[in-house]
Amino acid sequence: MSSLDVDRILQSIKDLPAFPATVQKVSELMSDDEYAMTDLVNAVEYDQAITANVLRMCNSAYFGFPRKISSLRQALSYLGRENIIRIVSTARISKYYRDVEGYRLKAEKLWEHSVGVALMSRILSEKIYGREEPWLFTTGLLHDIGKNVLGEFVNESFQKVMSLVSDEKYSFLEAEQEMLGMNHAEVGGRIASLWRFPKEMIDTIIHHHRPDLMEEGDNTGAYLIYLADKVCMMMGIGGGGADDLAYRGLKGAMEKFKIHHRELEVSMIRLSDEIEKAKELVKLL
Amino acid sequence: MGQIIIGISDFKISNKSQDVLITYALGSCIAVVVYDPKVKVGGLLHFMLADSSIDTKKALQQPAMFADTGVPLLFKACYKLGAEKRHMTVKLAGGASIMDDTNFFRIGQKNIMAIRKILWRNNVIVTSEDTGENYNRTVELHMSDGRVTVRSGRGPVKEL
């Protein structure tokens, strides 16, 4: 590990474009029960990329509205509260994904994996709590955002990272940490922090591979994203990268939610259906 | 050359020597690859879970999702094109796990056990396999000669 690498990684995070205010603005509006549709339309319509993607997604099989939706106002009034947050964050976050050479993964695959984890977090959250936690969906989309920055650095040390993983039985996360002084989960947390996401999201992203190491705060979200992430790896959703499956299995993850193996398998079946319906989301890249 | 892609919970067969059957990024799922060199007929099944009793309705819609409903389908489809069981090679790839596999994440192991049991019960011998470990695999079946290659995120291409 070298402190020079850490400095370069930190600089690379700082150089990222700012996260557009649209998503934050929409989340704020939605947290008020009496939100005005006009405010919402105003917040979204100036962001061309979001507007186009919102309409595309509304007309996809995933939402399955009976007739064609052609205006933003119409779209936003059809979608429920959770869907609005979900769709606006999906439409926006996809713009940040790029090919990550160090993980031998194309942007499309990394994005597909992120959508998979977001959908699985929703399935698990409904199963465990009987309701959806919209912030978990966004966290699912963002959990690997750190790879977009760290990829270049992993690539520089690729042979050494892989030899730690293959020969020394390091997890990929541990190999990143050893070689670069930082891992992609921590980098992701720093990016989320720079973009001023809420603390629970930042903590969850940082601990998405090791929820057991979270020292303070509620680790429920981190365990849930952990589980969703590992299931997607096992199913090969957005898979094919160099790090696939080279992460630690934590016994506590299933115990935490008191779910059984069989229930996890049922959730996997549900996820394959959802992924099929969400093809438009995956194609946003 | 015709490239035929097999997605998760799906299977395809072929009798055209220019075809290559390919399935990407197997994690805990398993590819069952069969080939009869006499008639150059073969197929590839990419199943996700061992046992269809978990969701019998799903098993009717998408039998290739499960080992127990997918395997008979694969063999029967090959027989229709003239393949014979006694000439067929059967190769397996996949069934990987995440590291420190605990009892709660044994889907890969469970899949390996299930497919071996099904084949054994039907007097089918596994010709070769590349299963377990903790990396993904991409599998190709070349219809011209029955060659099966496995590419992973780690290491060189292997021939099964």
Side-chain angles (χ1 to χ4, degrees), chain A residues 105 172 233 236 238-247, chain B residues 25-26 134-136 154:
Chain A
L105 212 56
F172 206 91
M233 285 181 183
D243 62 328
D244 273 19
L245 298 148
Y247 292 100
Chain B
L26 290 156
N134 46 50
Y135 47 81
N136 67 75
R154 260 171 268 167

Side-chain angles (χ1 to χ4, degrees), chain A residues 158-174:
Chain A
F158 189 73
Q159 296 307 333
K160 287 178 186 156
V161 167
M162 287 321 285
S163 114
L164 286 176
V165 172
S166 301
D167 308 331
E168 311 286 332
K169 299 295 163 206
Y170 276 56
S171 74
F172 206 91
L173 196 81
E174 292 154 3

Side-chain angles (χ1 to χ4, degrees), chain A residues 35-42 72-73 76-79 84:
Chain A
Y35 71 89
M37 188 48 74
T38 312
D39 292 341
L40 188 60
V41 174
N42 287 342
L72 188 63
R73 175 173 285 269
L76 293 174
S77 48
Y78 273 127
L79 295 162
I84 292 176

Side-chain angles (χ1 to χ4, degrees), chain B residues 84-135:
Chain B
E84 282 186 62
K85 189 165 151 184
R86 62 196 170 110
H87 296 141
M88 280 160 89
T89 57
V90 181
K91 299 179 181 179
L92 306 175
S97 302
I98 52 175
M99 297 173 76
D100 319 319
D101 191 14
T102 68
N103 281 328
F104 297 107
F105 287 114
R106 292 185 66 84
I107 291 177
Q109 279 302 318
K110 244 181 108 177
N111 282 343
I112 296 171
M113 301 303 280
I115 184 66
R116 285 185 187 151
K117 202 167 150 190
I118 290 166
L119 294 172
W120 181 77
R121 259 203 250 120
N122 288 284
N123 302 314
V124 175
I125 294 163
V126 177
T127 317
S128 55
E129 63 179 283
D130 177 28
T131 52
E133 304 290 339
N134 46 50
Y135 47 81

